[in-house]
Amino acid sequence: MKQSVTQKEIDNIIKKLEGKGLKANVSKGTERTIIGVIGDTSKISEDEVNAVRTMRGVEDCLRIVKPYKLASRDFKKENTVIDVNGVSIGGKKIQVIAGPCAIENRTILMTIAERVKACGASFIRGGAYKPRTSPYSFQGLGEEGLKILAEARQLTGMPIVTELMDPRDMETMIKYADIIQIGTRNMQNFRLLLEVGMAGKPVLLKRGMSATIKEWLMAAEYIMSGGNHNVILCERGIRTFETTTRNTLDLSAIPVLKQLTHLPVVVDPSHAVGRWDLVEPMAMAAVAAGADGLLIEVHTNPEEAFSDGEQSLKPDTFMAMMEKLKPIASAVGREI
Ligand code: PEP
Ligand code: MN
């Protein structure tokens, strides 16, 4: 829309679109207002596009040919910066989300939270609902775990990132989480995506372990189409033929996503490599490649951890890694 557009002119466009069975998604940026046309736009003729172009307040009307629209750079040129309780993701500062794989008990979580905070982490993470390969493995503490996380937030001031697996837990989740994580195994759980699309909380969308970048962006589109534009993409490694590492970290996904989308990109080297000794070099590479954030598993006693101990850093190792990341961040014009 033109910079001088009025609300009445915007309403007219919305009415016109709705009359055609389409939905309008109005995005008011600092520079301009963009109206995204949601629905099956393939049946709209060029004549109709031209007609919209001549409507009052309209600067231009473009067809976004990519299947993801709201997530696309064509739709929004500037990077999306998401504010979470005063912490910005997608801006100059690279944000670090750190904590154990699962919340195990209060004492351990409080210790980890204080240690990672002292090292410069800005979010505390931990799973209360764990997507375990075996039904006999520790499944998480559920709401009890979320309460412990909330206590860690109170203690440190760090916002919470935690995973939601089942829409039935949404009501509970919403009371505690600051960012809702969707795990790799649920990236294409479309009902769950639609649900978090209506939740009004930022979403950390992990890449499906066998998902292409296009499928991943379509999953983001599911969330955004529900009105929730606060989506953070998290590369966490993909399945390849290589078995030395748990997964293969797709570093090129970072610059590729930076071209295709305006959404912030976080990298999780912990789940990508599955070995604590490889976390630091891959975190360094991720920062060099342009990541907006890192997700790092940290545990005070990895040998005894209920899950993912083999890939968890001890607080001291985490501290050393954070120090090494500083010059790399500054070399690429960022801060950490
Ligand atoms: C996690 O973050 O602990 C986790 C289960 O991650 P992913 O979904 O990437 O395996
Ligand atoms: Mn884990």
Side-chain angles (χ1 to χ4, degrees):
M1 307 303 287
K2 289 186 176 134
Q3 248 162 350
S4 58
V5 70
T6 64
Q7 189 56 47
K8 190 158 173 284
E9 288 164 347
I10 293 174
D11 291 342
N12 274 338
I13 302 277
I14 297 173
K15 221 187 294 165
K16 169 134 181 145
L17 294 172
E18 286 177 348
K20 296 201 169 293
L22 298 161
K23 278 203 291 187
N25 190 299
V26 181
S27 159
K28 283 191 177 148
T30 44
E31 298 281 305
R32 62 179 65 250
T33 297
I34 299 169
I35 303 179
V37 183
I38 311 290
D40 183 6
T41 52
S42 61
K43 291 181 191 71
I44 299 180
S45 70
E46 276 320 298
D47 283 350
E48 284 172 303
V49 171
N50 281 330
V52 171
R53 251 186 213 120
T54 61
M55 285 177 76
R56 279 172 168 262
V58 175
E59 183 167 290
D60 203 357
C61 181
L62 304 169
R63 206 185 273 281
I64 296 177
V65 281
K66 297 211 176 67
Y68 43 90
K69 319 255 176 216
L70 302 171
S72 155
R73 265 273 182 226
D74 301 338
F75 177 68
K76 183 168 176 270
K77 296 269 178 293
E78 330 81 74
N79 289 334
T80 287
V81 181
I82 300 175
D83 176 84
V84 190
N85 302 1
V87 185
S88 300
I89 302 190
K92 186 169 183 193
K93 186 162 191 288
I94 296 165
Q95 304 294 2
V96 179
I97 303 164
C101 182
I103 303 142
E104 299 171 4
N105 67 50
R106 195 184 163 276
T107 320
I108 295 179
L109 191 78
M110 296 309 142
T111 312
I112 297 173
E114 286 196 302
R115 296 292 303 271
V116 298
K117 160 109 184 184
C119 299
S122 32
F123 288 87
I124 179 75
R125 65 144 281 148
Y129 303 96
K130 293 304 302 176
R132 303 307 300 281
T133 302
S134 166
Y136 308 120
S137 302
F138 176 62
Q139 303 286 309
L141 296 179
E143 184 166 9
E144 196 42 46
L146 295 176
K147 284 186 179 154
I148 297 173
L149 260 183
E151 230 185 289
R153 171 176 54 202
Q154 205 169 12
L155 179 75
T156 61
M158 290 187 289
I160 294 170
V161 182
T162 193
E163 178 167 354
L164 174 70
M165 288 203 299
D166 187 327
R168 286 170 293 188
D169 296 319
M170 180 62 101
E171 226 176 287
T172 311
M173 180 57 70
I174 220 102
K175 288 193 272 176
Y176 305 95
D178 298 302
I179 297 182
I180 299 176
Q181 176 174 319
I182 299 296
T184 191
R185 294 159 188 83
N186 273 315
M187 191 206 81
Q188 284 189 316
N189 182 339
F190 299 116
R191 278 292 304 275
L192 186 61
L193 298 177
L194 290 175
E195 209 66 39
V196 292
M198 296 183 296
K201 296 253 182 188
V203 178
L204 182 88
L205 179 65
K206 286 200 156 194
R207 180 180 187 174
M209 59 182 88
S210 303
T212 63
I213 288 175
K214 190 166 150 189
E215 286 163 341
W216 188 11
L217 288 170
M218 289 309 288
E221 191 77 12
Y222 259 90
I223 300 170
M224 298 174 86
S225 70
N228 186 352
H229 289 201
N230 294 330
V231 179
I232 303 150
L233 300 164
C234 178
E235 162 63 38
R236 49 78 69 202
I238 48 176
R239 284 258 161 111
T240 66
F241 53 82
E242 183 52 66
T243 54
T244 319
T245 46
R246 183 177 179 181
N247 293 286
T248 296
L249 181 63
D250 182 7
L251 273 175
S252 59
I254 308 163
V256 167
L257 287 169
K258 287 287 162 195
Q259 289 176 5
L260 299 178
T261 179
H262 51 86
L263 297 172
V265 180
V266 163
V267 172
D268 167 2
S270 305
H271 291 87
V273 296
R275 290 168 42 175
W276 72 269
D277 61 321
L278 300 178
V279 170
E280 180 188 277
M282 296 321 279
M284 291 163 82
V287 168
D292 297 302
L294 294 169
L295 186 160
I296 310 284
E297 284 190 339
V298 178
H299 200 288
T300 40
N301 189 2
E303 294 82 7
E304 305 277 318
F306 291 1
S307 55
D308 288 350
E310 58 290 358
Q311 68 195 33
S312 298
L313 298 185
K314 291 183 180 171
D316 289 345
T317 329
F318 178 65
M319 172 71 105
M321 181 198 79
M322 291 294 279
E323 286 306 314
K324 282 206 185 171
L325 293 176
K326 282 180 190 163
I328 300 173
S330 105
V332 293
R334 309 289 290 265
E335 277 164 23
I336 192 160

